[in-house]
C-alpha cells in the first residue's frame, strides 16, 4: 500500500508542477493560433465550426487554404507550427453568417482570438465542403451524433440518445426493457460511458426507449464501436462519450412537457451574462399510470433523471460543473414478483485553460461516481451490489521533434460492495477497495496529403496487477484531393481491470455484481485480466453535397471474459468461469440530408462466439471445450429512418428488423434430493429446471414500425407550443422478449402503443 501511495504522490507532484507553471518558455519556432468560436444567440461555444486560414500565393496570384480545422466540443480550434505572416481568417458554420478578419502572426507568437458568429442562413460553397472534410481523420468505428440526429427517431415526449443508438448497426439490446446495450459483441459492462468526461455506469432506463440523455440536454456524442485511442482506458468493447449542452448565457429559457410517457421540466439562463450560466433538466416516467389503460397491460416500471450544469467561461478558461442523478425501479416480467432497481449519482467538474501563458492548453477533471442496483423478491431475500469511485484526470500536451504529443494521467479510488442471499451459493457479501492509476500518450503524423497516422499508448496499474501495455493505432488514407473519400484502419489492445457479472441466461433480471477483475480463485492463483484485440477497416464516401456512405468491417477477440457458472438453477455465481470470445462482422450506413427530407438506412451482419472449458463452466455436455453463441448474438440487423417537413409539420418514421437471438431451451423439470441429509420419503426435494444444449436454439425474428407527427405553434416571440402524436409498434406485432422458465410464460415486447405529448417553451 505504501508503494502505491508513493507512486501516486510522485505523479501528483509532477502534475502540480505542470499546472502551476506560470509562464511558458519563449517559442523559438513558428507561430500558434487558438480560435474560440462563440454563438451570438446564446453565448455558448459552437462545436464543429470550420476554421480556415487563407494565404496569398504569389505564383498563382490567388488565395489558397493554408490551414483548416474544426472546433472541438469547447468551441476551440488550435493551429500549431503556423508559418509567420499575414492570413485571412474565415470561420463558418451552418445557419450562421461567415466571419472574416485579417490576422498577422509573428514568429514565435501564440495568439488567442475570440470569434462571435451571428445567426443567418448561408449557402454552402465548395470551400466549406473541403474544409469540413479536411478534418475528418481516422473515423473508422466512430459515429458522431448531434442533437438533431437524436431528434430524428420517433420517441414519446422527445428524442432520446438510446433510441437513436438502437438504429445503428452493431448495437443490440436484450429487448425493450432492462437498459442494456451490447455493442459489436461486447457486454454492457465492457462499454465505457462518459458524460462531460465523468464516467457513469448505467444511464439507460428500464424502458429501453429512454436514457439519462434526452435531446434537449445533449450537445454532441462520440460513439466508438471499437478501435478507440488510448485516451479511453478501462473498457474493452466500446465508448459512448456524451457532451451536455451548457446553459444559455444571454437569456432565460424554460420549458415543460407532459405526455403519455413522461413529465419533464427545464430551466436555463445566465448567472452573469456571457460569463456564467446554469442548466437544469428533469424528467419523471408516467408509464406506470398511463400505459395500462392504453394497452390493457400492466407497466410495472418507473424512473426519473435529473441533470444540472454550471458553466463558466472567460477569454482564457472554460469550466463546467456537472451533476447527474438517475433512478429506475420495476419489473421486466409482470409474471414474476421481482423488483429491480438501479441508480446513478455523478458529480464533478472539468476545466480547460488555453491562455497565452500556457504553451499548450491544460485540461483536468475531478469527480465522484456511485452506482447501486438490487433485485428484491417479495420473499424479502434481496440482492444488492454497487460501485463508488473518486477520480482525477489531467490532460496536457507537449512538443517534441516538431510533433505535438497529447498525454494524460488519471487516478481512481474504487470501492466495490455486495450483499447477497442464498442464490449466490459461495459468498454472502464482500467489500473490496483498490486504487488505479492510468496514463496515455498519443500523437499524429501527417505523412502527406493522403496519409495520416494516429498512434497512442496507454497503461493501467493497480496493486492487484502489473501495469498493462495497450498500444493503439489509427491510419487514414484519403485518395482524393478534395477528401470526398476516406479509407481508415484501427487496431489495438484493450484491458479491463473491473468486471460486471450477471446471469445472461435469465432475461428477466439485469442485476449485476461489479468487482475487481483480479478476484482470487485459490490462495495461490488469480484470474487474468480480461482484454481484447480490435481490428477495424472502414470506408467513407461523401457523395455530392447530400449523400454519405459508410462501410465497416471489424473483428474483436475477447480474452478471459467472466461468465457465470451454469447450473440447473438460474443463478449468478460470483466465482465465474473464463471464456474467450470472437466477434466479427460488417455494417453499412447510407444517409441523405437535404431539407425538407432526411433519410438513413443501416444494415449489419455479425457473429459472436464464446469458447470455454466445459468443466469450469459447469456445462452438462461431454465435449471438453464448449463453444456457443451468447444471448446477444444477432446475425442480421436492418433499420430505416426517414423525416419529412411540410407546412410546419415534421413526420418521422422508423422501421427496424432483427434476426432471432440465441436462447437455452428447457428440457424438463425434476426434484433434487440431497442424500443423506434429506430423506425422499419425507422430503420431496428442491424443484430444478433441466436445460437442453446451452444457447442451442434461436428466438423468432423481430421487426417493428414507429411513427410520429409533430407541429410547432409560435404564440408570440417569447412563447411557443409543440404538439406530438405517434405510435410505437404500429402494426402491433407480437415480438417475443423471452420465455420465462420460472413461470412458463412467454414475455412479449411492447405492443401497439399510441402516444401524445405537449411541450410549451418560454424564451
Amino acid at each position: 500500500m505504501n508503494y502505491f501511495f508513493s507512486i501516486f504522490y510522485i505523479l501528483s507532484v509532477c502534475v502540480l508542477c505542470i499546472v502551476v507553471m506560470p509562464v511558458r518558455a519563449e517559442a523559438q519556432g513558428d507561430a500558434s493560433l487558438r480560435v474560440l468560436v462563440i454563438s451570438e444567440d446564446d453565448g455558448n461555444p459552437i462545436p464543429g465550426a470550420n476554421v480556415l486560414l487563407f494565404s496569398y500565393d504569389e505564383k498563382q496570384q490567388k488565395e489558397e487554404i493554408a490551414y483548416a480545422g474544426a472546433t472541438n466540443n469547447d468551441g476551440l480550434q488550435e493551429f500549431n507550427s503556423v508559418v509567420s505572416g499575414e492570413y485571412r481568417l474565415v470561420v463558418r458554420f451552418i445557419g450562421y453568417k461567415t466571419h472574416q478578419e485579417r490576422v498577422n502572426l509573428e514568429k514565435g507568437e501564440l495568439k488567442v482570438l475570440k470569434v462571435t458568429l451571428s445567426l443567418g442562413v448561408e449557402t454552402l460553397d465548395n470551400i466549406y465542403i473541403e474544409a469540413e472534410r479536411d478534418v475528418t481523420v481516422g473515423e473508422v468505428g466512430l459515429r458522431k451524433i448531434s442533437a438533431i440526429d437524436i431528434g430524428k427517431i420517433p420517441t414519446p415526449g422527445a428524442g432520446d440518445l438510446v433510441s437513436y443508438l438502437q438504429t445503428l448497426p452493431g448495437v443490440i439490446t436484450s429487448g425493450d426493457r432492462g437498459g442494456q446495450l451490447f455493442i459489436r459483441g461486447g457486454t454492457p459492462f465492457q462499454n465505457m460511458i462518459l458524460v462531460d468526461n465523468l464516467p457513469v455506469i448505467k444511464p439507460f432506463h428500464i424502458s429501453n426507449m429512454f436514457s439519462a440523455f434526452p435531446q434537449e440536454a445533449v450537445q454532441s456524442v462520440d460513439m466508438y464501436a471499437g478501435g478507440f485511442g488510448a485516451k479511453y482506458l478501462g473498457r474493452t468493447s466500446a465508448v459512448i462519450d456524451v457532451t451536455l449542452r451548457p446553459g444559455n448565457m444571454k437569456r432565460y429559457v424554460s420549458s415543460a412537457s407532459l405526455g403519455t410517457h413522461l413529465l419533464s421540466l427545464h430551466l436555463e439562463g445566465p448567472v452573469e451574462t456571457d460569463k456564467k450560466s446554469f442548466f437544469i433538466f428533469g424528467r419523471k416516467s408516467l408509464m406506470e399510470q398511463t400505459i395500462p389503460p392504453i394497452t390493457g397491460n400492466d407497466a410495472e416500471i418507473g424512473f426519473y433523471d435529473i441533470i444540472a450544469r454550471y458553466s463558466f467561461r472567460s477569454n482564457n478558461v472554460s469550466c463546467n460543473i456537472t451533476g447527474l442523478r438517475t433512478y429506475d425501479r420495476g419489473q421486466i416480467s409482470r409474471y414474476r414478483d421481482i423488483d429491480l432497481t438501479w441508480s446513478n449519482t455523478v458529480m464533478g467538474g472539468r476545466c480547460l485553460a488555453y491562455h497565452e501563458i500556457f504553451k499548450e492548453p491544460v485540461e483536468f477533471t475531478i469527480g465522484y461516481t456511485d452506482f447501486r442496483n438490487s433485485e428484491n423478491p417479495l420473499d424479502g431475500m434481496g440482492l444488492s451490489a454497487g460501485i463508488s469511485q473518486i477520480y482525477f484526470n489531467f490532460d496536457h500536451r507537449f512538443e517534441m521533434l516538431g510533433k505535438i504529443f497529447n498525454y494524460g494521467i488519471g487516478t481512481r479510488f474504487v470501492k466495490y460492495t455486495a450483499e447477497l442471499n442464498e442464490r449466490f451459493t459461495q459468498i454472502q457479501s464482500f467489500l473490496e477497495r483498490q486504487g488505479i492509476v492510468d496514463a496515455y500518450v498519443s500523437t499524429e503524423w501527417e505523412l502527406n496529403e493522403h496519409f495520416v497516422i494516429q498512434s497512442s499508448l496507454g497503461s493501467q496499474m493497480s496493486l492487484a496487477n502489473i501495469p498493462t501495455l495497450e498500444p493503439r493505432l489509427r491510419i487514414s488514407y484519403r485518395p482524393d484531393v478534395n477528401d470526398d473519400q476516406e479509407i481508415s484502419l484501427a487496431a489495438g489492445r484493450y484491458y479491463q481491470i473491473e468486471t460486471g457479472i450477471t446471469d445472461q441466461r435469465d432475461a428477466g433480471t439485469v442485476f449485476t455484481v461489479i468487482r475487481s477483475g483480479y478476484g482470487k480463485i485459490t490462495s495461490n492463483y488469480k484470474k487474468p485480466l480480461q482484454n481484447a484485440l480490435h481490428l477495424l477497416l472502414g470506408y467513407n464516401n461523401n457523395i455530392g453535397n447530400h449523400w454519405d456512405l459508410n462501410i465497416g468491417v471489424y473483428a474483436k477477440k475477447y480474452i478471459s471474459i467472466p461468465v457465470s457458472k451454469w447450473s440447473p438453477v438460474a443463478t449468478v455465481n460470483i466465482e465465474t468461469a473464463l471464456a474467450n470470445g470472437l466477434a466479427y462482422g460488417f455494417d453499412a450506413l447510407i444517409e441523405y440530408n437535404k431539407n425538407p427530407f432526411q433519410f438513413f438506412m443501416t444494415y449489419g451482419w455479425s457473429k459472436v462466439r464464446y469458447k470455454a472449458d466445459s468443466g469450469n463452466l459447469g456445462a452438462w455436455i461431454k465435449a471438453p471445450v464448449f463453444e456457443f453463441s451468447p444471448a446477444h448474438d444477432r446475425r442480421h440487423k436492418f433499420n430505416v429512418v426517414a423525416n419529412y417537413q411540410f407546412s410546419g409539420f415534421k413526420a418521422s418514421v422508423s422501421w427496424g428488423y432483427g434476426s432471432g437471438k440465441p436462447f437455452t431451451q428447457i428440457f424438463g423439470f425434476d426434484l433434487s434430493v440431497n442424500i443423506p441429509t434429506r430423506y425422499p420419503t419425507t422430503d420431496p426435494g428442491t424443484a430444478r429446471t433441466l436445460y437442453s444444449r446451452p444457447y442451442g436454439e434461436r428466438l423468432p425474428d423481430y421487426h417493428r414500425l414507429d411513427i410520429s407527427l409533430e407541429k410547432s405553434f409560435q404564440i408570440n416571440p417569447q412563447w411557443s407550443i409543440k404538439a406530438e402524436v405517434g405510435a410505437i409498434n404500429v402494426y402491433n406485432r407480437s415480438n417475443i422478449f423471452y420465455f420465462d422458465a420460472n413461470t412458463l410464460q412467454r414475455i412479449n415486447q411492447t405492443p401497439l402503443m399510441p402516444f401524445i405529448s405537449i411541450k410549451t417553451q418560454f424564451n
Side-chain angles (χ1 to χ4, degrees):
M1 203 61 159
N2 291 333
Y3 172 72
F4 173 81
F5 280 110
S6 297
I7 294 176
F8 174 72
Y9 174 76
I10 294 171
L11 290 175
S12 300
V13 170
C14 293
V15 169
L16 183 63
C17 291
I18 296 173
V19 173
V20 301
M21 193 180 306
V23 182
R24 67 181 181 91
E26 186 67 26
Q28 300 299 319
D30 295 322
S32 296
L33 175 66
R34 294 173 188 160
V35 180
L36 178 65
V37 182
I38 302 294
S39 169
E40 184 184 53
D41 179 53
D42 60 11
N44 285 314
I46 301 178
N50 286 267
V51 183
L52 303 95
L53 287 178
F54 287 85
S55 63
Y56 189 77
D57 190 324
E58 296 288 348
K59 294 182 179 180
Q60 300 291 332
Q61 295 292 304
K62 66 176 183 179
E63 280 191 327
E64 61 179 15
I65 299 176
Y67 304 92
T71 56
N72 59 18
N73 289 330
D74 297 292
L76 187 68
Q77 167 60 34
E78 181 172 14
F79 298 113
N80 294 292
S81 301
V82 179
V83 177
S84 58
E86 185 176 353
Y87 296 89
R88 182 168 65 96
L89 172 66
V90 177
V91 181
R92 306 184 182 215
F93 191 68
I94 299 174
Y96 288 82
K97 295 180 180 178
T98 298
H99 173 88
Q100 302 185 55
E101 67 175 279
R102 290 287 174 181
V103 177
N104 189 47
L105 297 174
E106 302 290 340
K107 186 175 181 179
E109 180 182 13
L110 193 163
K111 181 174 289 187
V112 177
L113 294 178
K114 178 181 175 182
V115 173
T116 301
L117 297 185
S118 57
L119 291 175
V121 179
E122 293 193 351
T123 302
L124 301 181
D125 57 24
N126 292 331
I127 293 177
Y128 178 90
I129 298 299
E130 282 188 12
E132 183 180 40
R133 291 170 183 171
D134 184 72
V135 298
T136 304
V137 177
E139 298 295 328
V140 59
L142 170 63
R143 178 69 176 176
K144 289 184 173 293
I145 304 167
S146 67
I148 295 175
D149 294 327
I150 295 173
K152 294 177 180 179
I153 312 302
T155 308
D160 194 282
L161 175 61
V162 73
S163 293
Y164 180 84
L165 291 177
Q166 292 177 65
T167 67
L168 300 180
V171 179
I172 306 298
T173 64
S174 55
D176 64 348
R177 278 154 281 175
Q180 293 185 306
L181 290 185
F182 302 83
I183 301 177
R184 283 188 174 176
T187 64
F189 202 74
Q190 290 174 323
N191 301 328
M192 172 180 287
I193 304 167
L194 301 173
V195 52
D196 287 346
N197 215 29
L198 309 171
V200 53
I201 302 300
K202 189 177 180 180
F204 308 116
H205 288 307
I206 192 168
S207 168
N208 278 353
M209 290 186 290
F210 304 102
S211 70
F213 308 122
Q215 178 187 4
E216 296 94 327
V218 171
Q219 177 175 278
S220 64
V221 181
D222 289 345
M223 201 277 276
Y224 289 90
F228 42 93
K231 179 181 179 180
Y232 301 106
L233 292 168
R235 291 296 184 267
T236 57
S237 182
V239 173
I240 301 173
D241 192 349
V242 180
T243 300
L244 296 177
R245 186 169 63 82
N248 197 304
M249 295 236 178
K250 298 284 189 179
R251 62 187 183 278
Y252 293 100
V253 179
S254 63
S255 67
S257 177
L258 177 64
T260 52
H261 289 65
L262 294 172
L263 168 67
S264 66
L265 298 172
H266 150 242
L267 179 65
E268 63 179 287
V271 176
E272 182 178 350
T273 303
D274 290 331
K275 290 186 178 181
K276 303 173 184 177
S277 70
F278 70 92
F279 178 92
I280 301 174
F281 190 93
R283 298 187 302 176
K284 185 180 186 306
S285 168
L286 303 177
M287 300 173 68
E288 201 165 15
Q289 294 77 30
T290 59
I291 297 305
I294 295 175
T295 65
N297 297 321
D298 293 336
E300 298 293 332
I301 55 177
F303 61 85
Y304 71 81
D305 53 57
I306 301 173
I307 294 173
R309 200 169 194 244
Y310 174 84
S311 301
F312 166 81
R313 190 191 67 250
S314 69
N315 291 333
N316 306 313
V317 66
S318 173
C319 291
N320 295 292
I321 299 174
T322 302
L324 172 69
R325 169 70 179 178
T326 76
Y327 178 79
D328 287 78
R329 179 202 60 79
Q331 298 177 358
I332 292 179
S333 169
R334 66 179 185 273
Y335 299 106
R336 295 170 65 178
D337 294 325
I338 296 178
D339 278 333
L340 299 166
T341 66
W342 66 84
S343 64
N344 293 276
T345 303
V346 178
M347 297 179 292
R350 170 183 172 271
C351 282
L352 175 68
Y354 42 85
H355 194 277
E356 288 96 336
I357 65 171
F358 297 106
K359 184 173 182 178
E360 303 295 343
V362 177
E363 178 183 348
F364 65 88
T365 305
I366 187 169
Y368 167 80
T369 293
D370 180 83
F371 170 75
R372 304 287 158 187
N373 74 145
S374 66
E375 178 183 294
N376 298 298
L378 292 184
D379 59 15
M381 295 180 294
L383 316 174
S384 64
I387 175 176
S388 57
Q389 53 188 329
I390 299 172
Y391 43 84
F392 172 80
N393 296 320
F394 171 81
D395 295 275
H396 195 232
R397 54 193 200 184
F398 62 90
E399 186 175 350
M400 185 174 66
L401 302 177
K403 296 294 181 184
I404 297 294
F405 290 82
N406 298 285
Y407 72 94
I409 301 172
T411 59
R412 290 193 293 143
F413 297 95
V414 192
K415 181 173 73 172
Y416 314 93
T417 59
E419 294 289 338
L420 315 166
N421 65 15
E422 84 285 351
R423 183 181 180 188
F424 297 82
T425 56
Q426 298 191 22
I427 188 170
Q428 293 296 317
S429 64
F430 69 81
L431 170 63
E432 297 177 350
R433 292 186 176 91
Q434 75 169 342
I436 301 172
V437 176
D438 57 57
Y440 78 92
V441 61
S442 66
T443 190
E444 179 179 302
W445 287 274
E446 187 169 352
L447 302 183
N448 52 46
E449 62 181 3
H450 298 293
F451 278 99
V452 177
I453 299 176
Q454 298 170 326
S455 62
S456 59
L457 178 66
S459 180
Q460 305 173 70
M461 182 187 70
S462 73
L463 284 177
N465 68 280
I466 61 174
T468 66
L469 193 62
E470 306 178 48
R472 303 174 189 181
L473 179 70
R474 299 173 71 87
I475 301 175
S476 171
Y477 170 68
R478 291 168 287 180
D480 301 326
V481 177
N482 59 7
D483 304 313
D484 282 340
Q485 299 184 76
E486 181 174 272
I487 300 171
S488 49
L489 178 144
R493 177 175 285 277
Y494 303 80
Y495 281 90
Q496 184 166 327
I497 292 178
E498 298 158 337
T499 184
I501 306 167
T502 190
D503 186 3
Q504 291 192 28
R505 292 181 307 158
D506 185 5
T509 180
V510 291
F511 175 72
T512 303
V513 176
I514 303 170
R515 68 183 310 176
S516 168
Y518 255 77
K520 292 184 179 180
I521 295 179
T522 64
S523 59
N524 59 1
Y525 175 71
K526 294 182 178 181
K527 297 179 181 180
L529 287 179
Q530 60 175 307
N531 60 96
L533 296 169
H534 292 191
L535 179 62
L536 298 86
L537 180 65
Y539 172 74
N540 176 70
N541 192 341
N542 300 298
I543 307 169
N545 293 335
H546 307 295
W547 288 91
D548 284 294
L549 172 66
N550 288 274
I551 299 174
V553 180
Y554 65 91
K556 294 182 181 180
K557 183 178 181 181
Y558 295 101
I559 303 167
S560 300
I561 308 168
V563 179
S564 294
K565 290 187 176 182
W566 294 344
S567 71
V569 179
T571 180
V572 177
N573 199 325
I574 298 300
E575 296 298 334
T576 59
L578 296 181
N580 293 330
L582 179 63
Y584 57 93
F586 70 89
D587 50 51
L589 184 150
I590 186 166
E591 187 170 8
Y592 175 81
N593 280 291
K594 184 180 181 182
N595 284 330
F597 182 67
Q598 294 105 27
F599 161 88
F600 72 86
M601 179 172 62
T602 68
Y603 171 75
W605 180 92
S606 64
K607 186 174 183 179
V608 186
R609 297 290 287 175
Y610 281 6
K611 186 183 294 186
D613 182 90
S614 298
N616 292 335
L617 194 59
W620 43 94
I621 59 174
K622 295 181 180 180
V625 176
F626 180 55
E627 187 174 352
F628 63 98
S629 295
H632 56 278
D633 176 42
R634 169 164 276 167
R635 288 285 187 272
H636 303 278
K637 187 171 185 285
F638 180 71
N639 287 88
V640 179
V641 176
N643 290 258
Y644 182 68
Q645 300 182 45
F646 61 97
S647 303
F649 289 88
K650 176 187 173 185
S652 301
V653 177
S654 175
W655 184 80
Y657 165 84
S659 58
K661 295 179 294 186
F663 77 102
T664 303
Q665 194 172 43
I666 298 173
F667 179 77
F669 304 91
D670 73 352
L671 297 174
S672 175
V673 181
N674 188 6
I675 298 175
T677 59
R678 290 181 177 179
Y679 299 93
T681 56
T682 59
D683 188 344
T686 303
R688 182 171 66 167
T689 304
L690 303 178
Y691 297 97
S692 298
R693 181 180 176 85
Y695 300 107
E697 302 295 332
R698 285 189 177 265
L699 296 170
D701 293 352
Y702 163 96
H703 52 87
R704 193 180 87 184
L705 174 67
D706 304 335
I707 62 172
S708 70
L709 181 67
E710 65 179 56
K711 168 73 172 176
S712 295
F713 304 90
Q714 194 72 40
I715 308 303
N716 58 48
Q718 287 76 41
W719 181 24
S720 64
I721 295 176
K722 184 176 76 172
E724 181 183 26
V725 296
I728 303 298
N729 195 2
V730 172
Y731 47 78
N732 199 25
R733 175 176 167 82
S734 296
N735 290 302
I736 187 172
F737 186 1
Y738 75 105
F739 187 84
D740 195 325
N742 297 279
T743 62
L744 299 182
Q745 296 286 337
R746 168 176 167 148
I747 310 301
N748 284 332
Q749 301 192 47
T750 305
L752 170 63
M753 186 167 61
F755 63 84
I756 184 172
S757 67
I758 300 292
K759 177 182 177 181
T760 180
Q761 179 167 314
F762 297 91
N763 295 318

